[in-house]
């Protein structure tokens, strides 16, 4: 039997919280996977064709800087190509952002509960997490931006703003974001995480690109995983000022985005209007799900993403198991609540039958 090496781990690594992925459907099981906020639609034929063509070149290294994709994104967003950095999913891009600006002893402020990769990425970068609780009551699940601004100290280097917030769903509003940005020092980086941007229909939501254009200390994080349906290929990107973007690019994993992923993202960008029609169907089914739940008597945060949040406290794991037994795999956060993705219409029907038994 092999012995463990006596090389010590970094204390920060030993203390890392585990990233808990959404449960997968067991092979052969009859169940809907509503645990990972995935797009339930399969790739478009044009995207599958691009993937198949690209697969013939997997014996070659990909373009390390994803030049064609970077230029296409820049053209789509109306920014310079030197302001876009593509990476192996927005989680990896976030890690590279932190590695670029954070040093040991620095602080990163973010809402909590929010995206569970945040504390992991902060710890790996050597910084300390400063978690600001979400609002409750009538504003349940929303970010406490005044509280986050008050948490900024002279040790703060980055503030994370997740909008829509994962796993609760609300967006920050334009006026509150402007007030928040006015209160944050200009040498503190504000990362606006917009992974679920395409699902937002709230007219008070900010235009991230407009905010970025006006605020030099704002960085945008976006992804092809959700609305574009490429979760399995891992393509995310940051929009940042050229000097910062160059730093992010410098610390990025070489060849981090495969050739197959780059071609699929380019094909998806070219088919954006067709893909957004699918998003409209998901938004409509989100509305149907929320309406059905509220008719049952549930009080829910105002989700602008492709999921809904149930504040269930100690009942969370029991309810998740009941949903699984009924054929719906959901994402529990033990002791806190459930996140349920918007999936196929049949999945919505099934979950509404399950949730009706919980009241």
């Amino acid at each position: 039997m092999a012995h463990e090496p006596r090389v010590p781990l970094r204390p920060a690594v030993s203390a890392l919280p585990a990233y808990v992925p959404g449960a997968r459907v067991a092979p052969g099981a009859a169940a809907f996977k509503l645990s990972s906020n995935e797009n339930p639609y399969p790739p478009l034929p044009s995207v599958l064709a691009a993937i198949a063509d690209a697969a013939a070149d997997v014996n070659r290294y990909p373009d390390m800087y994803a030049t064609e994709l970077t230029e296409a994104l820049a053209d789509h967003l109306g920014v310079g190509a030197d302001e876009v950095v593509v990476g192996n999913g927005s989680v990896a891009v976030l890690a590279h952002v932190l590695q670029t600006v954070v040093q040991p002893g620095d602080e990163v402020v973010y809402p909590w509960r929010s995206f569970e990769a945040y504390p992991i990425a902060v710890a790996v970068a050597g910084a300390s997490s400063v978690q600001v609780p979400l609002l409750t009551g009538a504003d349940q699940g929303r970010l406490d931006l005044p509280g986050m601004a008050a948490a900024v100290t002279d040790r703060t280097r980055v503030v994370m703003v997740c909008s829509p917030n994962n796993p609760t769903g609300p967006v920050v509003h334009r006026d509150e974001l402007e007030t928040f940005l006015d209160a944050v020092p200009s040498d503190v980086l504000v990362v606006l995480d917009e992974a679920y941007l395409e699902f937002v229909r709230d007219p008070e939501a900010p235009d991230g690109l407009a905010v970025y254009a006006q605020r030099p200390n704002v960085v945008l994080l976006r992804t092809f995983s959700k609305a574009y349906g490429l979760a399995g290929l891992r393509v995310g990107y940051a929009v940042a000022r050229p000097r910062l973007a160059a730093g992010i690019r410098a610390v990025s994993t070489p060849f981090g985005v495969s050739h197959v992923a780059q071609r699929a993202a380019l094909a998806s960008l070219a088919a954006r209007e067709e893909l957004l029609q699918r998003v409209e169907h998901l938004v409509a089914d989100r509305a149907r799900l929320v309406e059905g739940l509220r008719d049952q008597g549930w009080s829910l945060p105002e989700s602008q993403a492709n999921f809904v949040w149930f504040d269930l406290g100690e009942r969370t794991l029991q309810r998740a198991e009941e949903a699984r037994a009924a054929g719906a795999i959901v994402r529990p956060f033990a002791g806190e609540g459930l996140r349920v993705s918007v999936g196929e219409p049949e999945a919505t029907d099934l979950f509404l039958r399950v949730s009706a038994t919980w009241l």
Side-chain angles (χ1 to χ4, degrees):
M1 181 176 178
H3 294 288
E4 284 285 340
R6 304 184 73 172
V7 178
L9 300 181
R10 285 173 49 204
V13 173
S14 299
L16 284 178
Y19 185 101
V20 182
R24 302 182 67 84
V25 177
F32 292 103
K33 187 184 178 193
L34 306 178
S35 57
S36 298
N37 300 340
E38 296 157 333
N39 190 321
Y41 295 105
L44 293 172
S46 60
V47 177
L48 282 175
I51 291 171
D53 288 345
D57 295 321
V58 295
N59 58 312
R60 304 296 184 186
Y61 285 110
D63 174 357
M64 190 165 85
Y65 297 116
T67 306
E68 189 175 351
L69 177 57
T70 296
E71 291 174 349
L73 281 167
D75 183 63
H76 167 65
L77 299 170
V79 300
D82 58 352
E83 296 173 79
V84 178
V85 185
V86 175
N88 185 226
S90 60
V91 175
V93 179
L94 167 62
H96 299 325
V97 170
L98 295 178
Q99 290 164 11
T100 304
V101 300
V102 166
Q103 299 186 66
D106 290 343
E107 294 176 344
V108 178
V109 175
Y110 55 87
W112 197 254
R113 164 137 331 245
S114 193
F115 184 33
E116 63 186 302
Y118 291 166
I120 299 172
V122 170
V124 170
S128 298
S129 286
V130 178
Q131 299 180 345
V132 178
L134 301 178
L135 296 172
T136 58
D139 290 320
Q140 69 165 315
R142 300 193 72 238
L143 272 58
D144 180 4
L145 289 181
M148 290 172 63
V152 173
T153 71
D154 58 2
R155 293 175 57 194
T156 306
R157 291 295 169 264
V158 179
V159 180
M160 301 293 307
V161 177
C162 189
S163 182
N165 186 52
N166 176 19
T168 57
V171 291
V172 300
H173 288 156
R174 186 182 308 108
D175 55 348
E176 64 179 347
L177 181 61
E178 290 295 335
T179 300
F180 168 76
L181 291 171
D182 286 342
V184 173
S186 60
D187 61 348
V188 172
L189 190 67
V190 177
V191 178
L192 184 56
D193 186 345
E194 298 184 304
Y196 300 91
L197 169 70
E198 292 84 359
F199 300 97
V200 175
R201 297 296 180 272
D202 187 337
E204 296 184 55
D207 177 341
L209 283 167
V211 173
Y212 166 78
Q214 296 163 7
R215 305 279 183 165
N217 63 326
V218 168
V219 170
L220 305 181
L221 280 186
R222 296 182 176 180
T223 182
F224 281 86
S225 293
K226 311 303 181 185
Y228 288 89
L230 297 182
L233 288 177
R234 316 306 303 127
V235 187
Y237 60 97
V239 183
R241 291 301 190 278
R243 184 174 68 88
L244 177 57
I248 299 168
R249 204 172 289 113
V251 303
S252 296
T253 304
F255 308 108
V257 183
S258 72
H259 179 61
V260 173
Q262 291 181 38
R263 302 314 300 181
L266 278 164
S268 297
L269 200 59
R272 186 171 186 273
E273 294 306 316
E274 189 176 358
L275 286 166
L276 290 183
Q277 291 175 15
R278 293 177 163 191
V279 171
E280 287 298 331
H281 290 303
L282 291 171
V283 169
D285 225 46
R286 177 184 73 196
R288 185 170 71 89
L289 175 60
V290 169
E291 181 180 4
L293 291 168
R294 288 181 173 159
D295 286 347
Q296 291 175 3
W298 291 99
S299 176
L300 304 170
E302 191 64 44
S303 179
Q304 291 293 309
N306 66 336
F307 52 81
V308 295
W309 171 256
F310 291 79
D311 185 359
L312 293 173
E314 295 305 316
R315 298 174 295 161
T316 295
L317 295 181
Q318 177 187 343
R319 297 309 191 206
E321 176 56 28
E322 291 168 356
R324 186 204 62 77
I329 310 298
V330 298
R331 175 66 170 90
F333 295 80
E336 298 181 60
L338 287 180
R339 188 190 66 199
V340 182
S341 306
V342 178
E344 300 87 343
E346 298 82 2
T348 298
D349 296 337
L350 172 63
F351 185 76
L352 284 171
R353 292 195 295 271
V354 172
S355 62
T357 69
W358 292 349
L359 290 169

